Amino acid sequence: MPRTVDPSDFKGKDKHKVSDKEYARTIPCNQLSVSAPFHWLSLGLHDFIRMPIISGFYGLCFMAAAVGIVLLVQWQGTHLVVMPSLVVFMLIGPFLALGLYDASWEREKGHDASLLHSMRAIGRNSTSQWAFAVLLAVAMIFWMRIAALLHALYPSVQGAPLTDFLPFLVIGTGVGFVLACFVFSISAFSIPLMMERRVDMMTAVFSSFNAVKSNIPAMIVWAAIIAGGILIGFATYGIGMLFTMPILGYGTWHAYHATIKKKHHT
């Protein structure tokens, strides 16, 4: 069973010290105010302005992925391809975000962030990062299977009254909400934690879940901001991703540093 690491684990040379390589532990978190996400967003915007080349590169990558999904839907003439496309997006998205986290991290340390250095971040703790990307993809595939089963509740009669749609809408929305909350809770801080501290995937997942559970009001606001940014991106046929995703990526790094307790050195 995973255990919560006490802050004293990080203090003193003669005391018990927990290695970053210990498996499946839970790193403690700070308590956040409900207004904290707006501060992270402002810091993300500041990084976006200060690093135009890096922001533009990763923004274009996210935009290309979103435009590809939009064009695929229009070309196929059906929304059935959206979920498979999102599975692919869930695989490549975390790795693109790594470059943004690294850039903010470099600025935080007082260094000049570079595009090349940010791209190298993809190889930092790649085993855990790939495992997590696969976990997200599996979650999306599971979501697809549930959606296919729920489609049986969809009225078979064309022009059916609204009341016939209620079982499909209510159950579908409820299941989707639960799965979305689960995915958000395990992914909110996992990737920056794996990158900075090189922890294993399960430690990152447990720590992220604990941080979200411990700060539900702030996390609701942050999740709404992220969802709004993604919706703006797709509502503008992917073009908005050029701006929203880098800002959200930088903001996520600042959210991580404000939420997950730092190691203390003597």
Side-chain angles (χ1 to χ4, degrees), residues 51 54 99 102-107 110-118:
M51 297 183 288
I54 297 175
D102 178 80
S104 283
W105 189 16
E106 286 298 293
R107 285 200 69 242
H111 301 165
D112 292 328
S114 71
L115 179 59
L116 181 60
H117 190 281
S118 70

PDB file of all heavy atoms in Angstrom, residues 51 54 99 102-107 110-118:
ATOM      1  N   MET A  51       8.812  34.023 -23.463  1.00  0.00           N
ATOM      2  CA  MET A  51       9.477  32.967 -24.263  1.00  0.00           C
ATOM      3  C   MET A  51       8.715  32.742 -25.573  1.00  0.00           C
ATOM      4  O   MET A  51       8.093  31.692 -25.770  1.00  0.00           O
ATOM      5  CB  MET A  51       9.560  31.678 -23.449  1.00  0.00           C
ATOM      6  CG  MET A  51      10.404  31.811 -22.191  1.00  0.00           C
ATOM      7  SD  MET A  51      10.592  30.279 -21.250  1.00  0.00           S
ATOM      8  CE  MET A  51       8.945  30.103 -20.536  1.00  0.00           C
ATOM      9  N   ILE A  54       9.793  29.465 -27.907  1.00  0.00           N
ATOM     10  CA  ILE A  54       9.377  28.186 -27.323  1.00  0.00           C
ATOM     11  C   ILE A  54       7.856  28.084 -27.302  1.00  0.00           C
ATOM     12  O   ILE A  54       7.285  27.039 -27.655  1.00  0.00           O
ATOM     13  CB  ILE A  54       9.954  28.037 -25.900  1.00  0.00           C
ATOM     14  CG1 ILE A  54      11.482  27.999 -25.959  1.00  0.00           C
ATOM     15  CG2 ILE A  54       9.416  26.781 -25.227  1.00  0.00           C
ATOM     16  CD1 ILE A  54      12.151  27.985 -24.599  1.00  0.00           C
ATOM     17  N   GLY A  99       8.092  19.905 -22.664  1.00  0.00           N
ATOM     18  CA  GLY A  99       8.936  21.002 -23.124  1.00  0.00           C
ATOM     19  C   GLY A  99       8.548  22.319 -22.488  1.00  0.00           C
ATOM     20  O   GLY A  99       9.408  23.148 -22.151  1.00  0.00           O
ATOM     21  N   ASP A 102       9.681  22.275 -18.805  1.00  0.00           N
ATOM     22  CA  ASP A 102      11.120  22.480 -18.713  1.00  0.00           C
ATOM     23  C   ASP A 102      11.484  23.951 -18.906  1.00  0.00           C
ATOM     24  O   ASP A 102      12.351  24.475 -18.201  1.00  0.00           O
ATOM     25  CB  ASP A 102      11.836  21.628 -19.769  1.00  0.00           C
ATOM     26  CG  ASP A 102      13.338  21.835 -19.756  1.00  0.00           C
ATOM     27  OD1 ASP A 102      14.007  21.231 -18.889  1.00  0.00           O
ATOM     28  OD2 ASP A 102      13.851  22.606 -20.602  1.00  0.00           O
ATOM     29  N   ALA A 103      10.820  24.618 -19.836  1.00  0.00           N
ATOM     30  CA  ALA A 103      11.111  26.029 -20.091  1.00  0.00           C
ATOM     31  C   ALA A 103      10.796  26.880 -18.858  1.00  0.00           C
ATOM     32  O   ALA A 103      11.584  27.749 -18.462  1.00  0.00           O
ATOM     33  CB  ALA A 103      10.315  26.519 -21.295  1.00  0.00           C
ATOM     34  N   SER A 104       9.649  26.632 -18.230  1.00  0.00           N
ATOM     35  CA  SER A 104       9.303  27.368 -17.013  1.00  0.00           C
ATOM     36  C   SER A 104      10.267  27.043 -15.880  1.00  0.00           C
ATOM     37  O   SER A 104      10.639  27.926 -15.086  1.00  0.00           O
ATOM     38  CB  SER A 104       7.866  27.041 -16.578  1.00  0.00           C
ATOM     39  OG  SER A 104       6.921  27.707 -17.374  1.00  0.00           O
ATOM     40  N   TRP A 105      10.669  25.797 -15.804  1.00  0.00           N
ATOM     41  CA  TRP A 105      11.619  25.366 -14.772  1.00  0.00           C
ATOM     42  C   TRP A 105      12.957  26.092 -14.940  1.00  0.00           C
ATOM     43  O   TRP A 105      13.550  26.559 -13.968  1.00  0.00           O
ATOM     44  CB  TRP A 105      11.805  23.858 -14.849  1.00  0.00           C
ATOM     45  CG  TRP A 105      12.593  23.263 -13.727  1.00  0.00           C
ATOM     46  CD1 TRP A 105      12.902  23.843 -12.529  1.00  0.00           C
ATOM     47  CD2 TRP A 105      13.149  21.951 -13.692  1.00  0.00           C
ATOM     48  NE1 TRP A 105      13.622  22.973 -11.743  1.00  0.00           N
ATOM     49  CE2 TRP A 105      13.800  21.810 -12.434  1.00  0.00           C
ATOM     50  CE3 TRP A 105      13.161  20.882 -14.590  1.00  0.00           C
ATOM     51  CZ2 TRP A 105      14.455  20.632 -12.064  1.00  0.00           C
ATOM     52  CZ3 TRP A 105      13.810  19.716 -14.221  1.00  0.00           C
ATOM     53  CH2 TRP A 105      14.452  19.589 -12.967  1.00  0.00           C
ATOM     54  N   GLU A 106      13.434  26.196 -16.187  1.00  0.00           N
ATOM     55  CA  GLU A 106      14.696  26.880 -16.447  1.00  0.00           C
ATOM     56  C   GLU A 106      14.614  28.358 -16.050  1.00  0.00           C
ATOM     57  O   GLU A 106      15.529  28.905 -15.436  1.00  0.00           O
ATOM     58  CB  GLU A 106      15.059  26.752 -17.924  1.00  0.00           C
ATOM     59  CG  GLU A 106      15.560  25.375 -18.323  1.00  0.00           C
ATOM     60  CD  GLU A 106      16.844  25.014 -17.594  1.00  0.00           C
ATOM     61  OE1 GLU A 106      17.878  25.663 -17.845  1.00  0.00           O
ATOM     62  OE2 GLU A 106      16.802  24.094 -16.751  1.00  0.00           O
ATOM     63  N   ARG A 107      13.518  29.017 -16.395  1.00  0.00           N
ATOM     64  CA  ARG A 107      13.344  30.417 -16.016  1.00  0.00           C
ATOM     65  C   ARG A 107      13.272  30.565 -14.502  1.00  0.00           C
ATOM     66  O   ARG A 107      13.778  31.523 -13.919  1.00  0.00           O
ATOM     67  CB  ARG A 107      12.075  30.991 -16.638  1.00  0.00           C
ATOM     68  CG  ARG A 107      12.183  31.284 -18.123  1.00  0.00           C
ATOM     69  CD  ARG A 107      11.132  32.269 -18.577  1.00  0.00           C
ATOM     70  NE  ARG A 107      11.392  33.588 -18.045  1.00  0.00           N
ATOM     71  CZ  ARG A 107      10.571  34.250 -17.221  1.00  0.00           C
ATOM     72  NH1 ARG A 107       9.455  33.707 -16.808  1.00  0.00           N
ATOM     73  NH2 ARG A 107      10.871  35.458 -16.796  1.00  0.00           N
ATOM     74  N   GLY A 110      16.538  30.772 -12.972  1.00  0.00           N
ATOM     75  CA  GLY A 110      17.329  31.915 -13.385  1.00  0.00           C
ATOM     76  C   GLY A 110      18.144  31.674 -14.633  1.00  0.00           C
ATOM     77  O   GLY A 110      19.039  32.467 -14.960  1.00  0.00           O
ATOM     78  N   HIS A 111      17.848  30.593 -15.352  1.00  0.00           N
ATOM     79  CA  HIS A 111      18.560  30.273 -16.585  1.00  0.00           C
ATOM     80  C   HIS A 111      17.804  30.813 -17.791  1.00  0.00           C
ATOM     81  O   HIS A 111      16.607  31.111 -17.711  1.00  0.00           O
ATOM     82  CB  HIS A 111      18.734  28.761 -16.730  1.00  0.00           C
ATOM     83  CG  HIS A 111      19.494  28.137 -15.606  1.00  0.00           C
ATOM     84  ND1 HIS A 111      19.502  26.774 -15.379  1.00  0.00           N
ATOM     85  CD2 HIS A 111      20.278  28.684 -14.626  1.00  0.00           C
ATOM     86  CE1 HIS A 111      20.252  26.506 -14.319  1.00  0.00           C
ATOM     87  NE2 HIS A 111      20.724  27.646 -13.844  1.00  0.00           N
ATOM     88  N   ASP A 112      18.500  30.890 -18.912  1.00  0.00           N
ATOM     89  CA  ASP A 112      17.850  31.246 -20.172  1.00  0.00           C
ATOM     90  C   ASP A 112      17.285  29.976 -20.796  1.00  0.00           C
ATOM     91  O   ASP A 112      18.044  29.072 -21.159  1.00  0.00           O
ATOM     92  CB  ASP A 112      18.846  31.909 -21.130  1.00  0.00           C
ATOM     93  CG  ASP A 112      19.291  33.282 -20.639  1.00  0.00           C
ATOM     94  OD1 ASP A 112      18.471  33.952 -19.989  1.00  0.00           O
ATOM     95  OD2 ASP A 112      20.443  33.665 -20.909  1.00  0.00           O
ATOM     96  N   ALA A 113      15.977  29.899 -20.907  1.00  0.00           N
ATOM     97  CA  ALA A 113      15.346  28.715 -21.497  1.00  0.00           C
ATOM     98  C   ALA A 113      15.626  28.668 -22.988  1.00  0.00           C
ATOM     99  O   ALA A 113      15.670  29.693 -23.666  1.00  0.00           O
ATOM    100  CB  ALA A 113      13.844  28.743 -21.246  1.00  0.00           C
ATOM    101  N   SER A 114      15.847  27.462 -23.493  1.00  0.00           N
ATOM    102  CA  SER A 114      16.088  27.288 -24.929  1.00  0.00           C
ATOM    103  C   SER A 114      15.195  26.191 -25.469  1.00  0.00           C
ATOM    104  O   SER A 114      14.811  25.267 -24.737  1.00  0.00           O
ATOM    105  CB  SER A 114      17.557  26.937 -25.201  1.00  0.00           C
ATOM    106  OG  SER A 114      17.861  25.623 -24.763  1.00  0.00           O
ATOM    107  N   LEU A 115      14.884  26.277 -26.744  1.00  0.00           N
ATOM    108  CA  LEU A 115      14.018  25.282 -27.374  1.00  0.00           C
ATOM    109  C   LEU A 115      14.681  23.909 -27.351  1.00  0.00           C
ATOM    110  O   LEU A 115      14.030  22.904 -27.069  1.00  0.00           O
ATOM    111  CB  LEU A 115      13.704  25.710 -28.807  1.00  0.00           C
ATOM    112  CG  LEU A 115      12.817  24.754 -29.613  1.00  0.00           C
ATOM    113  CD1 LEU A 115      11.477  24.545 -28.928  1.00  0.00           C
ATOM    114  CD2 LEU A 115      12.619  25.292 -31.034  1.00  0.00           C
ATOM    115  N   LEU A 116      15.983  23.866 -27.638  1.00  0.00           N
ATOM    116  CA  LEU A 116      16.690  22.585 -27.670  1.00  0.00           C
ATOM    117  C   LEU A 116      16.671  21.923 -26.295  1.00  0.00           C
ATOM    118  O   LEU A 116      16.424  20.722 -26.179  1.00  0.00           O
ATOM    119  CB  LEU A 116      18.125  22.793 -28.151  1.00  0.00           C
ATOM    120  CG  LEU A 116      18.992  21.529 -28.258  1.00  0.00           C
ATOM    121  CD1 LEU A 116      18.362  20.540 -29.233  1.00  0.00           C
ATOM    122  CD2 LEU A 116      20.412  21.884 -28.694  1.00  0.00           C
ATOM    123  N   HIS A 117      16.908  22.691 -25.259  1.00  0.00           N
ATOM    124  CA  HIS A 117      16.911  22.140 -23.906  1.00  0.00           C
ATOM    125  C   HIS A 117      15.522  21.624 -23.534  1.00  0.00           C
ATOM    126  O   HIS A 117      15.382  20.568 -22.904  1.00  0.00           O
ATOM    127  CB  HIS A 117      17.359  23.209 -22.911  1.00  0.00           C
ATOM    128  CG  HIS A 117      17.634  22.682 -21.532  1.00  0.00           C
ATOM    129  ND1 HIS A 117      16.637  22.405 -20.624  1.00  0.00           N
ATOM    130  CD2 HIS A 117      18.802  22.370 -20.918  1.00  0.00           C
ATOM    131  CE1 HIS A 117      17.170  21.949 -19.499  1.00  0.00           C
ATOM    132  NE2 HIS A 117      18.482  21.919 -19.646  1.00  0.00           N
ATOM    133  N   SER A 118      14.494  22.360 -23.946  1.00  0.00           N
ATOM    134  CA  SER A 118      13.131  21.922 -23.630  1.00  0.00           C
ATOM    135  C   SER A 118      12.777  20.624 -24.345  1.00  0.00           C
ATOM    136  O   SER A 118      12.073  19.778 -23.798  1.00  0.00           O
ATOM    137  CB  SER A 118      12.128  23.021 -23.997  1.00  0.00           C
ATOM    138  OG  SER A 118      12.009  23.167 -25.392  1.00  0.00           O
TER     139      SER A 118
END
